[in-house]
């Protein structure tokens, strides 16, 4: 027997549950737009938790300390870059609204400032980013002040080595040392950040860890840990460990999938339905169609088919990793509507000869075209449909990995797409 589809009706449907999709849902509910979101598992759990705007410009040497100045330069050199279609005021407001929302939900972030923060990577190299989780903020401060600090790693934890962090930062942070501990209750075999984070939600585990930390911290006034400070209340877990150790504590992101990304995903999945979003997680939209009355998303879950009827749609399906774009021998395709993809002329042009070419590879700038209202365009340069908008790294003319601008593109373009969708829904 074929199951009858379940129907949902909404003003706005967001397709995608990466940073762009979740940011779009947040901006939409803040504007009182009735919203449904469908998203398959994607890149969110891989992110470090840092929210980059522009961290690098113009090749290997171009580390960016002032992203707003870099944005002004980008407008001169790459006017088609998606960030150049968003005013600096809107970008600032978008970051502030996004981080305020996270803070109100119990995951505090630093506010977007006038300059980038020099943040630590999992291996102790440095990167420039705009906003960091509050749990990570003390690290850059302690490094700038050369405060005595111990990086603690754990027996059995792969992909995070205190010795490596210290080796990479020694010149810059001479007062940095490292010690290795056994995580409470996990003294055998491999240990995993996600499991450690959930264990630290329990007060008794925190007390045991604090005791162990006090045993190795010596004269250090600051302790750096891999990102394991709880899954749902990291600010509370950090505050408790600081109280118990009498020292300042900070986290460093670990290799993906990392706890800060999983935290974001779990927070969105918990909070957005409470705020009225119809969230259908872990599912893939298989067809999207438009008619005079609106748009219809088709998908299925384990109970059978689902149809979501919407007045407007935001496509935030990402690039290759998340499946928004697919690479085929004949070329790169947008998988849902077969929207035209701006891409190198042929497969031989996807990559440059040298993998480490500082200019990057042309395939990483592939994506769909939008007009100034963030509506995707057809091959003829017309709007695909008045009801369709797009946001995030599916957009062409940017290499977010090279530019260190993943979250920035996602948040800024979602802000604009929602603004335009709201205008459409209000009949203006
Ligand atoms: C290893 C790694 C580290 C990163 N570190 C950082 C960092 O330090 N700082 C930073 O700013 N950014 C970082 N990012 C980038 C960031 O996580 C996002 O990838 C980026 O912001 C793009 O977001 P997006 O929402 O446009 O796309 P994605 O994150 O790719 O999300 C697209 C979403 O669409 C979904 N989807 C695709 N097709 C469908 C469909 N048919 N139906 C339903 N859903 C669909 C996918 O499942 C996915 O959920 C990192 C990414 C990775 C992979």
């Amino acid at each position: 027997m074929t199951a009858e589809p379940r129907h949902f009706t909404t003003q706005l449907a967001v397709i995608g549950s990466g940073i762009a999709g979740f940011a779009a849902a947040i901006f939409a509910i803040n504007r009182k737009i009735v919203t449904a979101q469908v998203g398959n598992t994607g890149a969110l759990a891989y992110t470090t938790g840092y929210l980059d705007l522009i961290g690098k410009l113009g090749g290997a040497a171009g580390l960016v300390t002032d992203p707003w100045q870099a944005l002004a330069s980008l407008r001169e050199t790459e006017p088609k870059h998606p960030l150049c279609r968003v005013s600096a005021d809107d970008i600032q407001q978008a970051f502030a609204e996004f981080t305020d929302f996270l803070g109100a939900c119990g995951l505090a972030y630093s506010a977007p400032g006038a300059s980038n923060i020099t943040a630590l990577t999992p291996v102790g190299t440095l990167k420039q980013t705009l906003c960091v989780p509050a749990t990570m903020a003390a690290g850059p401060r302690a490094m700038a002040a050369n405060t005595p600090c111990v990086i603690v790693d754990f027996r059995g934890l792969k992909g995070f080595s205190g010795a490596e962090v210290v080796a990479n930062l020694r010149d810059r942070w001479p007062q940095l040392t490292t010690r290795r501990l056994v995580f409470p209750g996990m003294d055998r075999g491999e240990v995993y950040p996600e499991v450690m984070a959930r264990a630290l939600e329990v007060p008794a585990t925190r007390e045991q860890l604090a005791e162990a930390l006090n045993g190795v911290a010596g004269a250090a006034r600051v302790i750096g840990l891999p990102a394991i400070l709880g899954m749902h209340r990291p600010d509370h877990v950090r505050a408790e460990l600081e109280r118990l150790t009498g020292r300042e504590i900070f986290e460093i992101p670990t290799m993906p999938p990392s706890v800060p990304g999983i935290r974001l995903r779990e927070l969105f999945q918990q909070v957005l339905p409470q705020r009225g979003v119809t969230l259908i997680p872990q599912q893939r939209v298989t067809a999207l169609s438009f008619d005079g009355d609106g748009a219809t998303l088709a998908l299925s879950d384990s109970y059978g088919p689902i149809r979501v009827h919407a007045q407007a749609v935001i496509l935030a399906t990402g690039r290759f990793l998340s499946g928004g774009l697919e690479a085929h021998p004949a070329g790169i395709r947008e998988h849902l509507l077969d929207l035209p993809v701006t891409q190198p002329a042929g497969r031989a042009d996807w990559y440059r000869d040298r993998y480490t070419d500082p200019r990057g590879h042309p395939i990483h700038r592939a994506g769909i075209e939008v007009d100034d209202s963030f509506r995707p365009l057809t091959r003829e340069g017309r709007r695909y449909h008045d009801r369709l908008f797009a946001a995030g790294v599916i957009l062409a003319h940017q290499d977010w990995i090279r530019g260190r601008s993943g979250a920035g593109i996602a948040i800024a373009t979602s802000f604009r797409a929602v603004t335009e969708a709201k205008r459409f829904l209000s009949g203006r």
Side-chain angles (χ1 to χ4, degrees):
M1 198 174 77
T2 312
E4 277 295 306
R6 282 160 291 149
H7 290 266
F8 296 92
T9 301
T10 186
Q11 283 184 296
L12 179 68
V14 176
I15 307 178
S17 51
I19 293 180
F22 282 122
I26 290 166
F27 297 141
I29 54 172
N30 282 351
R31 283 155 189 72
K32 305 207 174 341
I33 301 173
V34 180
T35 302
Q37 183 179 4
V38 186
N40 204 4
T41 309
L44 187 56
Y46 296 112
T47 182
T48 56
Y50 295 145
L51 302 178
D52 306 344
L53 174 53
I54 303 177
K56 235 175 173 193
L57 201 61
L63 278 190
V64 166
T65 51
D66 180 344
W68 308 103
Q69 178 59 45
L71 184 65
S73 307
L74 201 65
R75 291 190 201 284
E76 303 288 319
T77 54
E78 296 183 37
K80 289 183 169 176
H81 193 291
L83 284 174
C84 299
R85 306 185 93 136
V86 190
S87 71
D89 281 353
D90 277 357
I91 296 176
Q92 172 83 32
Q93 199 185 325
F95 265 87
E97 194 173 326
F98 188 72
T99 50
D100 282 354
F101 182 92
L102 293 175
C105 298
L107 187 55
Y109 263 76
S110 64
S115 42
N116 272 334
I117 296 166
T118 303
L120 279 68
T121 72
V123 292
T125 53
L126 301 174
K127 71 171 279 179
Q128 300 294 314
T129 189
L130 189 62
C131 301
V132 301
T135 52
M136 299 186 186
R141 276 200 307 269
M143 178 173 63
N146 190 24
T147 309
C149 172
V150 58
I151 304 290
V152 172
D153 65 13
F154 294 94
R155 198 168 81 201
L157 175 64
K158 292 198 171 146
F160 183 86
S161 153
E164 187 178 30
V165 173
V166 171
N168 280 323
L169 287 174
R170 186 169 290 132
D171 292 346
R172 201 177 165 121
W173 196 348
Q175 304 248 45
L176 195 63
T177 55
T178 183
R179 297 295 295 270
R180 179 160 295 177
L181 288 177
V182 171
F183 191 84
M186 299 185 194
D187 49 0
R188 274 186 217 166
E190 213 172 314
V191 296
Y192 300 94
E194 188 176 340
V195 181
M196 298 157 93
R198 294 192 199 278
L200 281 176
E201 306 259 332
V202 179
T205 314
R206 290 198 292 269
E207 279 162 24
Q208 289 168 40
L209 178 62
E211 200 181 323
L213 290 171
N214 282 332
V216 296
R221 301 208 315 268
V222 182
I223 301 172
L225 294 171
I228 54 167
L229 298 181
M231 196 56 85
H232 296 126
R233 296 170 74 206
D235 301 327
H236 172 73
V237 171
R238 183 178 63 106
E240 278 303 284
L241 277 177
E242 289 191 335
R243 183 180 65 77
L244 291 164
T245 58
R247 293 176 171 87
E248 203 168 20
I249 307 256
F250 68 92
E251 290 185 312
I252 302 172
T254 58
M255 291 294 180
S258 76
V259 166
I262 301 169
R263 262 180 210 150
L264 284 169
R265 188 181 66 198
E266 294 201 358
L267 179 141
F268 292 135
Q269 290 185 353
Q270 187 186 353
V271 166
L272 288 175
Q274 292 166 357
R275 306 281 172 104
V277 174
T278 302
L279 182 65
I280 308 176
Q282 316 283 344
Q283 302 301 336
R284 193 170 165 83
V285 175
T286 51
L288 171 61
S289 57
F290 294 86
D291 60 26
D293 294 334
T296 304
L297 285 61
L299 61 144
S300 302
D301 65 9
S302 44
Y303 297 103
I306 299 175
R307 299 287 175 269
V308 180
H309 304 281
Q311 292 303 303
V313 176
I314 294 181
L315 189 69
T317 47
R319 237 175 220 175
F320 304 104
L321 182 64
S322 297
L325 299 183
E326 293 172 348
H328 297 277
I332 299 163
R333 286 190 60 231
E334 185 284 313
H335 81 281
L336 210 46
L337 293 167
D338 200 17
L339 293 167
V341 176
T342 298
Q343 56 187 290
R347 220 176 151 190
D349 308 308
W350 285 3
Y351 295 96
R352 297 187 200 277
D353 291 342
R354 204 155 52 89
Y355 180 71
T356 54
D357 193 311
R359 292 169 299 172
H361 300 282
I363 190 172
H364 294 147
R365 304 182 75 83
I368 62 170
E369 299 283 345
V370 287
D371 66 8
D372 286 341
S373 66
F374 284 82
R375 286 178 169 95
L377 297 175
T378 63
R379 280 182 185 77
E380 294 73 35
R382 289 195 295 272
R383 288 177 179 176
Y384 182 88
H385 203 285
D386 278 352
R387 297 181 186 278
L388 181 66
F389 303 83
V393 299
I394 192 173
L395 303 180
H397 306 295
Q398 47 80 24
D399 180 346
W400 66 267
I401 301 173
R402 189 152 294 273
R404 311 287 192 272
S405 54
I409 292 170
I411 294 168
T413 59
S414 293
F415 184 86
R416 285 285 297 119
V418 170
T419 304
E420 295 296 337
K422 167 91 181 163
R423 185 171 294 155
F424 171 79
L425 291 166
S426 322
R428 281 183 279 141

